Amino acid sequence: MTQTQPNDRLEQFRHDTRAWLEQNCPPQMREPAVTESDLYWGGRRAQFSSEAQQQWFERMVQRGWTVPQWPTTYGGGGLSSDEARVLREEMARLKCRSPLVSFGISMLGPALLRYGSEAQKLEHLPKIARGEIRWSQGYSEPGAGTDLASLRTRAELAGDHFIVNGSKIWTSYGDKADWIFCLVRTDFAAKKHDGISFLLFDMQSPGVTTTPIRLISGYSPFTQTFYDNVKVPRANLVGEVNQGWTIAKYLLTHERNMIGGMGTQRTRPLHELARESVGLADGRLADAGLRTDIARYDMDALAFALTMERVQAQAKAGNETGALSSMLKYYGTELNRRRAELAMSIAGTDGLKFADGETTLAATWLRTRGNSIEGGTSEIQLNIIARQVLKLPS
Ligand SMILES: Cc1cc2nc3c(=O)[nH]c(=O)nc-3n(C[C@H](O)[C@H](O)[C@H](O)COP(=O)(O)OP(=O)(O)OC[C@H]3O[C@@H](n4cnc5c(N)ncnc54)[C@H](O)[C@@H]3O)c2cc1C
């Protein structure tokens, strides 16, 4: 009697996944995202920008493949890390877009899976997986950015709920989010890292207001959020009172991996852009210097994508990424910036064009500067690497 070997099972999974994706991912969802609305963020007020986007999203939700490795009980696909890798590979092969972009998936979800109570997992994770609730991140404050543990937004326990007062800043999409995961100070007397708690609350709660922060481009991806006697049920505390710093740090490693992953995101290949603007000579790009720069970038990007895969596999096997997430964040954001700079130099003056609603080269290039700040600045990642990886003295 012959037994099915693990590799055969994985090959069968690949075969089935490929067939399913070919049948279910609409052709429009295999094109790179160009405008903001090409990405679906979910949430109570979300709207699909096309029928294809809706179909693709709903089909993926049904299989639990918006969060392939989360347990099925929480709306996930219950895939093993090998199966999830195969799914990623097959989606990349067909150039499928991600069906749902969400801070719930990339940040809060992993933290809840590790630190949330069973009731919190059952309440929040399926809604994240189904894109029903859009989350924002309430970490930074006007006086607490890099030195995050100095935060002063306070939460006082009053019976079965907390009363929250204070303000957060640079809250990405704070005006579009339904809920926020928020760091609050619950003990002002303790050492600063020991008096922080991790709270979840609805942005519709009385006492919450958001003010957009406009950028020079007129675009406003951030808000400042204000909390005036916001009542938050005690049940929305994740982990123990005053133990929030551990959760905050764990979530940051996931945020950094996610931001680093932008260095591997699928965009239009640089050689295509270059062919259009510089042209060919003898079947090769006319500009030899540019050819070298693009080849060097492509090789670095490929090596980085493979490194990301390896680190993800390690993390899924239970080896925490820790300082590795700082390395990935730093290198991924540098790579992303290099790509945007190359694209700008290829496009020349055309790169400066601004079109309404379209993510232009110039806007993308400017946004890459933000990558080196959000989730902890590049200087801070280098400090962490120096101390924890290279063991250099402080
Ligand atoms: C695009 C974007 C999105 C963001 N989204 C969110 C969000 O959704 N939620 C949220 O809570 N926050 C968000 N932030 C805020 C972000 O986390 C902070 O900007 C970041 O942590 C830096 O804090 P800061 O701006 O106060 O700068 P500061 O901490 O004031 O730092 C200023 C400069 O000093 C340097 N510096 C500070 N301390 C040191 C040190 N010890 N050693 C060496 N250099 C140092 C920094 O590297 C930086 O260059 C976002 C930021 C950006 C750019």
Side-chain angles (χ1 to χ4, degrees):
M1 192 178 114
T2 53
Q3 275 191 331
T4 322
Q5 297 300 312
N7 275 348
D8 296 341
R9 279 206 302 273
L10 205 57
E11 275 320 299
Q12 184 62 44
F13 177 77
R14 184 184 295 282
H15 176 267
D16 296 346
T17 300
R18 186 174 293 183
W20 188 87
L21 289 172
E22 272 166 4
Q23 207 174 2
N24 288 284
C25 182
Q28 300 95 308
M29 294 297 107
R30 303 181 195 187
E31 301 291 328
V34 178
T35 66
E36 200 41 24
S37 64
D38 286 342
L39 299 174
Y40 184 66
W41 285 78
R44 289 176 187 141
R45 289 162 287 168
Q47 289 192 331
F48 293 102
S49 62
S50 66
E51 205 175 307
Q53 189 184 59
Q54 180 167 4
Q55 262 180 2
W56 175 227
F57 168 76
E58 286 172 355
R59 288 170 183 171
M60 288 292 272
V61 168
Q62 213 169 21
R63 285 187 87 98
W65 282 2
T66 51
V67 280
Q69 280 185 264
W70 289 10
T72 49
T73 351
Y74 307 136
L79 299 190
S80 67
S81 56
D82 279 340
E83 288 168 337
R85 175 179 49 76
V86 167
L87 173 60
R88 279 196 300 277
E89 286 168 2
E90 291 304 315
M91 283 179 70
R93 200 183 69 85
L94 273 190
K95 304 189 169 141
C96 306
R97 254 184 231 168
S98 172
L100 176 65
V101 183
S102 140
F103 294 159
I105 293 178
S106 54
M107 295 195 242
L108 179 64
L112 277 185
L113 281 166
R114 168 165 291 203
Y115 295 102
S117 65
E118 193 53 30
Q120 287 167 340
K121 290 179 196 175
L122 288 169
E123 169 66 20
H124 297 294
L125 294 176
K127 290 180 187 163
I128 292 174
R130 295 193 300 260
E132 288 169 10
I133 293 293
R134 183 167 176 174
W135 286 85
S136 59
Q137 179 188 34
Y139 273 33
S140 309
E141 295 184 5
T146 295
D147 186 12
L148 182 61
S150 293
L151 62 95
R152 300 189 62 79
T153 293
R154 63 165 63 220
E156 279 152 312
L157 198 52
D160 62 351
H161 58 269
F162 290 94
I163 300 288
V164 179
N165 280 288
S167 173
K168 296 283 171 185
I169 199 163
W170 312 124
T171 314
S172 295
Y173 309 112
D175 49 350
K176 299 191 172 64
D178 305 307
W179 277 62
I180 189 163
F181 49 92
C182 197
L183 295 181
V184 291
R185 183 156 300 285
T186 33
D187 187 340
F188 275 81
K191 279 204 294 192
K192 62 182 180 181
H193 295 93
D194 298 337
I196 293 171
S197 300
F198 194 102
L199 277 188
L200 313 175
F201 56 89
D202 193 324
M203 294 289 275
Q204 298 293 316
S205 309
V208 178
T209 46
T210 61
T211 310
I213 303 173
R214 284 216 185 283
L215 301 185
I216 197 167
S217 61
Y219 178 60
S220 170
F222 307 115
T223 57
Q224 183 165 7
T225 55
F226 298 90
Y227 314 111
D228 180 14
N229 288 321
V230 179
K231 206 169 158 183
V232 179
R234 195 193 159 114
N236 293 7
L237 171 76
V238 182
E240 301 292 320
V241 176
N242 295 331
Q243 303 290 311
W245 187 245
T246 308
I247 306 172
K249 281 194 302 181
Y250 180 73
L251 186 144
L252 271 176
T253 63
H254 284 273
E255 179 178 7
R256 288 173 184 162
N257 288 348
M258 180 263 292
I259 298 170
M262 288 175 184
T264 62
Q265 70 193 348
R266 200 172 60 79
T267 44
R268 210 165 154 221
L270 287 171
H271 61 81
E272 272 182 23
L273 279 177
R275 203 163 41 211
E276 274 167 27
S277 71
V278 181
L280 300 180
D282 299 331
R284 302 196 299 174
L285 263 189
D287 182 330
L290 188 57
R291 214 162 56 219
T292 310
D293 287 345
I294 294 176
R296 188 167 289 143
Y297 166 82
D298 281 345
M299 283 191 290
D300 288 347
L302 182 60
F304 182 66
L306 292 171
T307 307
M308 282 294 273
E309 279 291 337
R310 180 170 53 79
V311 171
Q312 271 169 358
Q314 275 176 350
K316 299 285 150 54
N319 303 321
E320 286 317 327
T321 52
L324 255 180
S325 68
S326 295
M327 291 164 61
L328 296 178
K329 197 220 164 209
Y330 179 73
Y331 195 79
T333 56
E334 284 298 300
L335 206 56
N336 208 19
R337 179 188 55 74
R338 257 172 72 194
R339 187 195 184 283
E341 280 173 4
L342 262 172
M344 286 292 280
S345 67
I346 291 167
T349 47
D350 280 355
L352 296 173
K353 278 186 202 155
F354 272 93
D356 252 3
E358 195 171 317
T359 313
T360 58
L361 289 182
T364 304
W365 169 63
L366 287 169
R367 182 64 183 81
T368 62
R369 315 305 298 188
N371 289 159
S372 62
I373 301 172
E374 61 196 324
T377 64
S378 288
E379 289 79 15
I380 297 310
Q381 306 319 311
L382 291 173
N383 279 350
I384 294 173
I385 295 163
R387 270 199 318 271
Q388 296 184 23
V389 182
L390 303 175
K391 309 286 181 205
L392 295 174
S394 340

